[in-house]
């Protein structure tokens, strides 16, 4: 999940290099930082679509400082950001500088990104951060340098506040991948809107609307950049939310309801799974008859022996989720914070006062009795959004990334032929490869038989395109043919999956 907030830093100015021409060198680094921030902003445009791969952005600038071309990785399986930027820049690429928010992630046998820069005649490359996966870190940089291209990594030869800010923007845009790979839980953001006196609803429970329309639009953007949105049972009972992104395009996150008692209404907006799926997690044995009702509506129910945020997040980590947006009430928020699964807090503060000793607050009891026990946010940012103030910060810093090696049992369960002691395997849900990226969504076209007799071969953009299309093969219905064609021509595996899954829910007779 990628967030679009200004990066704040209090780090002092540190110069590690002797500057022969101070002002020019500072301007040089300021220019680098500005273009790197632009590359990070570009990479955010695919928020939610690239998971579980990183977000990539690329800016190509001429020696005079003019932008010649830009590009970003639209989704898994699409053309790399570097190749798109080179195409946009054309002949202006020769002798130009390419700015990347992250070191290219070319994996074994796929050198598309690096080759695009080399063949275009790029003279210099500036990288915001090295690749977060340790076994890929430095590989593309070495390859570029072997072709005579000058490569600079922010902060490695010169440090300043402006460079540190730019580097942080690169870390933030891929924070979900970094957290997931080292902490075994998805990157989680707690979002809430409250009045100036710290209330998220009136004493009656009424909460529409605390924040402004502009703030709510920002919330939709947050959802669109998340793999899933989670709420508690009380939110479902009180607000009957839809939890959609409501932007009409891009990614729509899974809805998750966490409830121990399963005391939920029989009719709710979340039970409509025609457009996006809903998962209810609950205590084992809770209301079996109601579980059957939810299942009949297409809602997935997952039972836990002990329902707590840590185990729930570890479970969704195994299912491949990178980022979770928590939009829950104070009780569940306190439990999630106590379980150390919340990494960032995003609070919209409205200039309103409602009062009420029984009016709920955004975070319930954490067991703290002295102010010295209070949790301090780091890298705090403040931004005015319409009449509201948006305050955001981290409860946990973005960590250094080390590869996560699956256990021997987990590896053998996925593929018995794999050597469980292979040192560079990165584990994802039901998929693995030596480079931590191969899946149905990987950018590797396949040629497979197609049709009822399996005697016609066709090239598909990805495994996911082929998989989704074959759900509708063999059905003598023009709508099924149309669906297959839409999937075949989808711009990305994510789009192919969205078309296939939504058609499966809305028109099961076509399967």
């Amino acid at each position: 999940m990628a967030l679009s907030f200004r990066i704040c830093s209090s780090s002092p100015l540190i110069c590690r290099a002797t500057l022969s021409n101070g002002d020019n060198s500072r301007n040089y680094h300021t220019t680098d930082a500005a273009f790197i921030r632009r590359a990070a902003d570009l990479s955010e445009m695919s928020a939610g679509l690239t998971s579980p791969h990183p977000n990539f952005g690329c800016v190509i600038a001429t020696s005079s400082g003019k932008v010649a071309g830009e590009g970003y990785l639209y989704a898994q399986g699409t053309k790399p950001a570097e190749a798109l930027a080179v195409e946009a820049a054309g002949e202006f690429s020769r002798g130009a500088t390419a700015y990347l928010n992250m070191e290219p992630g070319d994996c074994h046998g796929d050198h598309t990104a690096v080759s695009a820069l080399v063949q275009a005649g790029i003279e210099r490359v500036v990288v915001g951060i090295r690749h977060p996966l340790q076994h890929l870190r430095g590989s593309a940089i070495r390859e570029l340098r072997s072709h005579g291209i000058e490569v600079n990594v922010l902060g490695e030869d010169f440090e300043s506040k402006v460079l540190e800010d730019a580097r942080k923007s690169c870390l933030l845009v891929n924070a979900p991948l970094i957290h997931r790979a080292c902490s075994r839980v998805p990157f989680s953001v707690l979002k809430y809107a409250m009045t100036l006196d710290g209330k998220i609803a009136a004493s009656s429970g009424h909460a529409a609307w605390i924040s402004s329309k502009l703030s709510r639009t920002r919330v939709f953007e947050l959802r669109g950049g998340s793999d899933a949105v989670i709420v508690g049972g009380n939110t479902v009972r009180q607000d009957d939310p839809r939890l959609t992104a409501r932007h009409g395009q891009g990614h729509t996150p899974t809805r998750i309801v966490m409830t121990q008692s399963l005391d939920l209404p029989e009719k709710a907006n979340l039970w409509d799974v025609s457009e996006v799926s809903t998962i209810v997690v609950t205590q084992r044995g809770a209301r079996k008859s109601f579980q059957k009702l939810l299942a009949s509506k297409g809602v997935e129910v997952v039972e836990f022996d002990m329902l707590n945020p840590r185990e729930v997040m570890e479970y969704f980590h195994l299912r491949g989720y990178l980022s979770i947006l928590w939009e829950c009430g104070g009780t569940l928020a306190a439990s999630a914070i106590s379980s150390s699964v919340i990494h960032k807090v995003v609070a919209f503060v409205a200039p309103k006062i409602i009062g009420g000793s029984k009016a709920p607050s955004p975070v319930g009891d954490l067991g703290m009795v002295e102010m010295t026990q209070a949790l301090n946010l780091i890298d705090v940012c403040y931004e005015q959004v319409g009449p509201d103030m948006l305050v955001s910060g981290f409860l946990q810093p973005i960590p250094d990334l080390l590869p996560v090696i699956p256990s021997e049992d987990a590896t053998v369960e996925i593929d018995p032929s794999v050597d469980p002691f292979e040192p560079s395997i990165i584990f994802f849900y039901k998929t693995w490869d030596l480079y931590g990226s191969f899946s149905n969504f990987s950018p590797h076209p396949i040629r497979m038989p197609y049709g009822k007799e399996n005697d016609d071969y066709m090239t598909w953009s990805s495994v996911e395109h082929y998989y989704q299309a074959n759900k509708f093969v063999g059905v003598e219905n023009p709508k099924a043919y149309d669906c297959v064609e839409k999937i075949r021509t989808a711009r990305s595996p994510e789009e192919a999956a969205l078309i296939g899954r939504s058609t499966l829910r809305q028109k099961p007779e076509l399967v």
Side-chain angles (χ1 to χ4, degrees):
M1 184 193 67
L3 310 181
S4 302
F5 303 133
R6 287 196 301 272
I7 312 304
C8 303
S9 172
S10 57
S11 58
L13 180 68
I14 303 174
C15 297
R16 286 184 172 172
T18 301
L19 305 179
S20 58
N21 188 347
D23 290 339
N24 288 339
S25 295
R26 291 188 185 92
N27 291 336
Y28 188 63
H29 288 293
T30 299
T31 300
D32 284 352
F35 282 128
I36 286 294
R37 286 197 300 270
R38 173 59 184 166
D41 289 342
L42 281 171
S43 70
E44 285 188 312
M45 297 178 72
S46 59
L49 293 176
T50 57
S51 176
H53 295 183
N55 298 305
F56 287 102
C58 177
V59 177
I60 294 177
T62 64
S63 57
S64 62
K66 302 290 186 181
V67 174
E70 297 180 334
Y72 65 96
L73 179 66
Y74 171 72
Q76 290 188 53
T78 59
K79 191 172 294 187
E82 296 84 352
L84 292 172
V86 164
E87 289 179 1
E91 288 301 315
F92 291 104
S93 296
R94 191 157 301 279
T97 298
Y99 294 90
L100 317 175
N101 66 298
M102 179 188 290
E103 176 183 4
D106 286 349
C107 48
H108 184 65
D110 179 9
H111 303 284
T112 308
V114 169
S115 295
L117 298 174
V118 172
Q119 294 172 11
I122 294 293
E123 189 173 276
R124 176 173 176 255
V125 173
V126 181
V127 175
I129 59 173
R130 291 177 182 263
H131 201 287
L133 298 184
Q134 190 177 41
H135 54 285
L136 287 180
R137 191 175 303 152
S139 297
I141 291 175
R142 288 190 296 271
E143 180 70 15
L144 288 167
R145 286 173 174 165
S146 72
H147 288 278
I149 297 176
E150 178 187 354
V151 182
N152 301 114
V153 182
L154 283 193
E156 292 193 358
D157 58 352
F158 182 87
E159 288 190 9
S160 71
K161 183 178 184 300
V162 68
L163 291 181
E164 179 63 17
D165 286 353
R167 185 175 180 277
K168 280 188 177 181
S169 68
C170 297
L171 290 171
L172 273 177
V173 78
N174 280 299
L177 176 66
I178 296 173
H179 271 281
R180 182 187 189 277
C182 71
S183 64
R184 306 295 293 177
V185 294
F187 178 71
S188 287
V189 176
L190 172 63
K191 186 282 304 178
Y192 55 82
M194 70 178 187
T195 60
L196 200 58
D197 55 336
K199 310 297 183 182
I200 60 172
S203 299
S204 64
H206 185 263
W209 294 101
I210 292 176
S211 58
S212 66
K213 186 175 181 179
L214 283 174
S215 293
R216 297 197 295 275
T217 299
R218 292 291 292 271
V219 172
F220 298 149
E221 293 174 0
L222 282 172
R223 290 176 185 168
S226 306
D227 290 337
V229 181
I230 189 168
V231 296
N234 193 51
T235 300
V236 179
R237 292 187 292 268
Q238 292 279 352
D239 301 339
D240 192 20
R242 296 183 183 276
L243 301 182
T244 56
R246 300 187 194 176
H247 45 43
Q249 59 184 0
H251 173 68
T252 302
T254 301
R255 290 92 55 93
I256 301 171
V257 181
M258 186 171 172
T259 168
Q260 188 164 353
S261 64
L262 208 60
D263 180 18
L264 301 172
E266 292 188 3
K267 294 184 178 180
N269 288 319
L270 294 182
W271 309 157
D272 179 3
V273 296
S274 58
E275 297 296 332
V276 59
S277 60
T278 298
I279 302 173
V280 174
V281 295
T282 188
Q283 193 87 11
R284 189 170 303 281
R287 296 188 68 190
K288 285 293 187 181
S289 59
F290 190 71
Q291 289 190 34
K292 293 180 180 179
L293 175 65
L294 290 177
S296 69
K297 296 176 180 290
V299 176
E300 182 182 356
V301 180
V302 181
E303 294 180 301
F304 287 81
D305 292 330
M306 293 296 294
L307 188 67
N308 61 70
R310 167 61 62 171
E311 290 199 14
V312 171
M313 288 299 97
E314 288 177 352
Y315 168 77
F316 281 105
H317 169 275
L318 292 176
R319 287 188 60 158
Y321 287 75
L322 287 187
S323 55
I324 306 288
L325 181 64
W326 294 67
E327 295 195 54
C328 53
T331 301
L332 183 52
S335 179
I337 291 173
S338 298
S339 299
S340 298
V341 298
I342 299 297
H343 302 98
K344 186 169 186 176
V345 176
V346 175
F348 294 89
V349 183
K352 301 175 181 178
I353 294 176
I354 195 168
S357 60
K358 295 184 179 180
S361 63
V363 179
D365 186 12
L366 291 173
M368 299 178 182
V369 295
E370 295 181 1
M371 192 55 66
T372 54
Q373 296 175 290
L375 301 175
N376 293 314
L377 299 183
I378 57 178
D379 288 325
V380 180
C381 294
Y382 307 89
E383 178 182 352
Q384 186 167 348
V385 182
D388 306 326
M389 180 61 70
L390 189 156
V391 183
S392 63
F394 286 84
L395 281 174
Q396 304 177 38
I398 300 176
D400 290 332
L401 186 73
L402 295 174
V404 175
I405 310 302
S407 67
E408 180 176 352
D409 291 341
T411 304
V412 173
E413 182 180 346
I414 296 167
D415 188 340
S417 67
V418 175
D419 178 2
F421 301 106
E422 167 59 49
S424 56
I425 293 175
I426 303 299
F427 179 73
F428 286 110
Y429 181 61
K430 290 185 178 178
T431 181
W432 63 269
D433 77 292
L434 298 177
Y435 304 91
S437 60
F438 187 76
S439 69
N440 283 14
F441 292 79
S442 296
H444 299 96
I446 60 169
R447 186 168 177 79
M448 295 290 288
Y450 172 75
K452 288 187 293 184
E453 304 300 327
N454 280 340
D455 53 1
D456 295 327
Y457 278 76
M458 182 181 295
T459 298
W460 300 83
S461 299
S462 71
V463 173
E464 189 67 17
H465 283 78
Y466 176 73
Y467 165 68
Q468 293 293 341
N470 271 271
K471 293 179 179 178
F472 310 98
V473 171
V475 179
E476 300 294 338
N477 188 311
K479 292 182 179 179
Y481 300 145
D482 291 343
C483 182
V484 170
E485 183 61 18
K486 287 180 180 178
I487 292 172
R488 187 186 67 81
T489 58
R491 287 197 299 169
S492 71
E494 178 72 20
E495 284 189 3
L498 181 62
I499 295 169
R501 292 167 186 167
S502 60
T503 304
L504 176 63
R505 287 192 295 265
Q506 296 168 12
K507 301 175 182 178
E509 70 276 6
L510 297 183
V511 179

